[in-house]
Amino acid sequence: MSGQFLPVTRQECIERGIKQLDFVYVIGDAYVDHSSFGPAIISRVLESHGYTVGIISQPDWKDERSIQALGEPRLAFLVSSGNMDSMVNHYTVSKKHRHKDSFSPGGIMGKRPDRAVVVYGNLIRKSYKHTPIILGGIEASLRRMGHYDYWSDQIKRSILLDSGADMISYGMGERSIVEIADALASGIDIKDLTFIRGTVYRSKTIEHIPEPIMLPAFSDIQENKLDYAKSFAVQYKNTDPYQAGTLVEDYQNQGYVVQNPPAYPLSMQEMDDVYDLPYMRTYHPMYKKEGEIPAIEEIRFSLTSNRGCFGSCSFCALTFHQGRIIQVRSHESLIKEASIMTQDAEFKGYIHDVGGPTADFRQPACQKQLTKGACSHRQCLYPTPCKNLVADHSDYLALLRKLRKLPKIKKVFIRSGIRFDYVLADKKTPFLKELAEYHVSGQLRVAPEHVSEKVLSKMGKPSHQVYMEFLKKYEECCKKSGKEQYAVPYFMSSHPGCGIREAIELAEYIRDMGFMPEQVQDFYPTPSTIATCMYYTQVDPVTMESVYVPKNPHEKAMQRALIQYRNPENRQLVIEALKKGNREDLIGFGPKCLIRPRRTGSEKSERFSNDNKNIKAKKKKSIRNVHRKKQ
Ligand code: SF4
């Protein structure tokens, strides 16, 4: 139904002549009807296939009646924690409560429970014993099989078992959800839906599966870290729709959890159709009193041009969720959306982003991917670009040029990450030149993440030399276009493989860089990444070699402090780290020293005064270099 939000109350259902909804969608985020929100996409896709969907967003999980607000659906309850895993949303890497929830009205915390999918699933079961429950979204997708859970420091069962649900629609769910809906509508029992790609289900037997790939049993991965690493490696190799098999995890007397191969990627036409659905492009007016949903600001004037990523960084779960095959929207579809944006009263002429998981991936890594899928035995970009990789920005450039020319558009920025090794591999197009000239909002955010080859190899990132070459070329392009703008690198501390020596190597690079990064990302072991598996098992699941993992909070604090070694608050930690790394040569007065030794009396007060002067000067330099983030 065009031009209105989906119903959120029974009264609205009655007004629209709906006696019983086909689906009731329970979500942990506020209800935002925008294509950047998974539940909005899935509910609009279902609606476009003739199904009615009602939304219960952020129900009171202590009150069973909140889940009964729209009555029992005819076909199923759908459940999603929202755009983020609820634990990542609620806690920092040091397991402290966050203060703001960008997906709740007014940014207020506490609108959803921890482990939202499990809580909502069980809440529904209290009232509706037999209604099918289908889980979707990132939380369910990345916890679809036995997995390591950082917050409890435990191996947890498939979320299917803990939530009391019948099925998980994992990955990008447009295809799967329509197949599920059609099958349920035709009268097939949810227990018999064992054949849909992109789904995970429970089963008492596995005789119906022609060639099951048996993962180590859950009891084994619970007891033995190496078994978990083996299980994860098999799961990781089975993320490609063209090559994956059916995975089975044995839960002994509770039966099996079965993962069907991923859904096939959407064609360009199908992507256009999904993004062309009649989204209201904003949050539901019921939140007006409580305040805006902060996340809308990031996406209101941004365009999603692609999905999927063949970058395969170890600390990112994208491969596990969206896969490595790139799916894109057509220029026409994106231009149409951009034109709609320009009609918004608040549009100031700036498109904030034209991107996706990686902005400049607008085509598959190679031709083979289109029919045979991505290789399971090697990466497309790591350690060096594959010889079959087609690095070509022609299509992206053509798109950006068209967007720049649209009426009412002053600037088109790129804020999603770009892969600098992919940019360098493109020898044909002037992408870097045009990026520098037209698409950088003061600073280009790039993510080399580290400088130590040892750490980079565990991150699946290119060699430091590649980053240096990119920087040189980027600076040349900026100079040629007369732009005074800089690249601001993002670095990560405490990634598996990073010891104190490697952290000091990074601090030395930062010293030579001349300014201190404003943000440091401490490695966060989120569900189902290669790096999280390394964190837990201390083994690289790809090679089964052992990996050093900084787990001790004090060592992690030292690594973090080293990145911002100029911050006076970090002084003690930095000294301790340098001593631990046998690099006391970096404590002193020489130009290469990171920190000065402690003095006493008048020397001390003189030093503090000089230090303060230096900090102020460096801060000024840093501010000059690091431009304001927001336009
Ligand atoms: S052949 Fe190379 S570029 Fe193509 S999927 Fe395999 S690793 Fe990636």
Side-chain angles (χ1 to χ4, degrees):
M1 196 177 289
S2 172
Q4 59 185 355
F5 286 88
L6 297 174
V8 297
T9 63
R10 274 202 210 225
Q11 184 56 34
E12 282 175 359
C13 292
I14 293 165
E15 283 163 15
R16 296 176 197 194
I18 302 167
K19 284 197 186 123
Q20 186 184 24
L21 288 157
D22 293 323
F23 292 95
V24 170
Y25 208 146
V26 180
I27 51 180
D29 286 343
Y31 175 29
V32 182
D33 191 28
H34 189 285
S35 55
S36 293
F37 286 71
I41 289 190
I42 294 301
S43 53
R44 288 294 182 186
V45 165
L46 283 168
E47 185 195 44
S48 72
H49 281 78
Y51 296 101
T52 52
V53 186
I55 305 286
I56 299 178
S57 70
Q58 303 189 319
D60 177 357
W61 66 95
K62 296 178 204 94
D63 184 353
E64 234 172 287
R65 286 168 305 175
S66 66
I67 224 80
Q68 300 161 1
L70 297 174
E72 183 182 20
R74 182 174 71 93
L75 299 177
F77 277 99
L78 307 177
V79 176
S80 164
S81 69
N83 267 12
M84 285 175 81
D85 186 286
S86 55
M87 298 304 279
V88 181
N89 184 287
H90 291 178
Y91 298 96
T92 65
V93 60
S94 51
K95 302 185 185 175
K96 296 202 171 82
H97 276 283
R98 294 190 198 275
H99 301 299
K100 183 179 170 188
D101 180 348
S102 295
F103 297 92
S104 290
I108 292 166
M109 286 303 286
K111 295 269 183 184
R112 96 193 79 201
D114 284 357
R115 307 188 189 284
V117 168
V118 171
V119 174
Y120 294 154
N122 286 300
L123 194 65
I124 294 168
R125 270 289 166 259
K126 273 191 191 167
S127 298
Y128 304 102
K129 301 284 178 233
H130 306 292
T131 317
I133 301 176
I134 298 155
L135 312 178
I138 198 103
E139 181 162 314
S141 186
L142 298 184
R143 296 171 182 268
R144 58 191 185 250
M145 305 303 268
H147 58 279
Y148 173 67
D149 177 81
Y150 170 64
W151 302 271
S152 59
D153 194 23
Q154 278 176 2
I155 292 288
K156 284 201 168 281
R157 306 191 298 175
S158 162
I159 201 165
L160 197 55
L161 302 182
D162 286 342
S163 62
D166 299 281
M167 180 173 272
I168 301 171
S169 164
Y170 74 89
M172 304 308 279
E174 294 95 343
R175 276 194 203 290
S176 319
I177 201 65
V178 173
E179 284 184 49
I180 294 168
D182 290 350
L184 291 175
S186 72
I188 301 177
D189 192 286
I190 186 95
K191 292 196 171 44
D192 297 324
L193 292 190
T194 59
F195 51 86
I196 297 176
R197 280 180 166 266
T199 62
V200 174
Y201 61 94
R202 282 186 275 183
S203 182
K204 287 281 172 223
T205 72
I206 51 170
E207 281 155 19
H208 60 286
I209 304 168
E211 291 176 53
I213 298 173
M214 297 303 296
L215 298 171
F218 180 72
S219 55
D220 292 339
I221 64 170
Q222 234 185 347
E223 279 163 25
N224 187 329
K225 289 185 177 179
L226 280 185
D227 278 338
Y228 178 61
K230 282 180 202 158
S231 174
F232 186 83
V234 177
Q235 291 180 54
Y236 193 77
K237 282 186 178 163
N238 283 275
T239 49
D240 184 90
Y242 295 92
Q243 306 203 15
T246 303
L247 306 183
V248 176
E249 197 166 57
D250 185 352
Y251 284 83
Q252 282 150 356
N253 55 6
Q254 289 170 78
Y256 302 92
V257 170
V258 183
Q259 175 183 311
N260 281 324
Y264 286 115
L266 299 186
S267 66
M268 186 186 278
Q269 182 59 57
E270 287 166 329
M271 283 285 281
D272 287 356
D273 291 346
V274 165
Y275 284 85
D276 220 12
L277 292 169
Y279 305 99
M280 298 300 287
R281 302 187 51 79
T282 187
Y283 53 88
H284 195 281
M286 65 183 159
Y287 303 118
K288 279 260 153 65
K289 267 194 243 147
E290 292 171 277
E292 281 229 338
I293 316 300
I296 198 82
E297 275 313 303
E298 281 289 313
I299 47 110
R300 178 174 281 155
F301 301 124
S302 295
L303 294 166
T304 302
S305 85
N306 63 46
R307 61 167 71 154
C309 182
F310 52 83
S312 307
C313 302
S314 305
F315 46 81
C316 174
L318 232 295
T319 306
F320 226 72
H321 186 57
Q322 293 191 354
R324 281 161 71 189
I325 298 177
I326 303 298
Q327 299 155 68
V328 296
R329 292 167 66 189
S330 69
H331 292 190
E332 293 71 29
S333 166
L334 288 156
I335 286 166
K336 186 175 161 194
E337 190 178 349
S339 305
I340 293 170
M341 273 179 201
T342 64
Q343 310 306 317
D344 190 312
E346 290 180 37
F347 184 70
K348 302 274 189 300
Y350 300 97
I351 291 188
H352 295 172
D353 192 20
V354 184
T358 300
D360 54 331
F361 288 175
R362 277 281 303 174
Q363 58 184 31
C366 67
Q367 285 307 308
K368 182 193 86 85
Q369 274 195 353
L370 291 173
T371 50
K372 298 206 171 73
C375 299
S376 59
H377 62 283
R378 74 148 291 166
Q379 309 279 22
C380 305
L381 282 165
Y382 177 80
T384 53
C386 166
K387 65 177 171 33
N388 295 324
L389 179 87
V390 182
D392 182 354
H393 290 81
S394 317
D395 178 72
Y396 193 32
L397 274 176
L399 169 66
L400 294 167
R401 286 171 189 160
K402 286 178 198 168
L403 289 168
R404 293 203 301 264
K405 283 195 186 138
L406 289 181
K408 299 190 189 167
I409 289 185
K410 294 180 193 160
K411 282 272 182 196
V412 178
F413 295 124
I414 299 172
R415 288 208 174 141
S416 299
I418 53 155
R419 272 298 288 233
F420 53 82
D421 44 353
Y422 186 70
V423 173
L424 289 183
D426 176 2
K427 309 286 181 210
K428 291 175 232 144
T429 74
F431 174 69
L432 190 54
K433 179 178 168 292
E434 294 198 23
L435 172 74
E437 197 164 345
Y438 301 111
H439 302 294
V440 176
S441 169
Q443 60 184 18
L444 178 70
R445 289 184 271 178
V446 275
E449 305 291 1
H450 218 279
V451 300
S452 153
E453 298 301 328
K454 195 172 151 199
V455 183
L456 290 169
S457 73
K458 292 299 165 217
M459 290 177 158
K461 295 292 262 182
S463 159
H464 180 54
Q465 282 316 312
V466 179
Y467 174 62
M468 295 307 285
E469 191 187 337
F470 171 81
L471 264 191
K472 191 167 160 253
K473 293 206 163 143
Y474 173 68
E475 279 164 17
E476 280 166 16
C477 289
C478 291
K479 207 169 161 194
K480 272 189 199 151
S481 62
K483 302 259 175 184
E484 199 182 330
Q485 57 193 16
Y486 300 86
V488 175
Y490 281 12
F491 294 117
M492 189 182 284
S493 63
S494 301
H495 189 275
C498 187
I500 283 293
R501 283 188 158 269
E502 291 74 29
I504 295 172
E505 199 180 330
L506 176 55
E508 288 193 273
Y509 173 74
I510 289 166
R511 172 199 63 206
D512 298 341
M513 200 169 79
F515 66 94
M516 193 169 74
E518 290 192 334
Q519 289 178 358
V520 183
Q521 176 61 52
D522 207 359
F523 167 66
Y524 199 160
T526 57
S528 293
T529 71
I530 294 182
T532 298
C533 183
M534 288 184 204
Y535 174 86
Y536 174 60
T537 62
Q538 286 156 285
V539 160
D540 180 341
V542 180
T543 60
M544 294 306 277
E545 287 167 3
S546 64
V547 184
Y548 173 76
V549 178
K551 285 194 177 187
N552 178 303
H554 192 64
E555 181 184 345
K556 281 160 69 94
M558 283 195 283
Q559 289 208 18
R560 201 183 160 89
L562 277 165
I563 295 182
Q564 294 182 320
Y565 69 88
R566 289 186 176 120
N567 184 340
E569 286 173 14
N570 292 336
R571 182 181 168 79
Q572 275 316 319
L573 284 168
V574 173
I575 290 175
E576 193 183 339
L578 293 174
K579 285 183 178 170
K580 191 164 185 257
N582 294 324
R583 292 300 309 271
E584 278 147 303
D585 59 300
L586 294 174
I587 306 171
F589 297 95
K592 293 286 180 189
C593 290
L594 297 180
I595 205 150
R596 292 177 178 192
R598 193 171 287 290
R599 292 181 185 180
T600 51
S602 59
E603 276 183 337
K604 201 171 175 182
S605 59
E606 188 192 333
R607 179 179 67 78
F608 275 126
S609 132
N610 286 338
D611 272 0
N612 281 338
K613 274 185 210 157
N614 283 341
I615 287 163
K616 274 182 194 160
K618 277 167 189 164
K619 216 170 182 179
K620 263 189 195 165
K621 188 172 179 188
S622 166
I623 288 165
R624 266 207 315 275
N625 288 346
V626 182
H627 291 213
R628 280 156 52 85
K629 275 186 201 153
K630 289 201 173 161
Q631 184 58 33

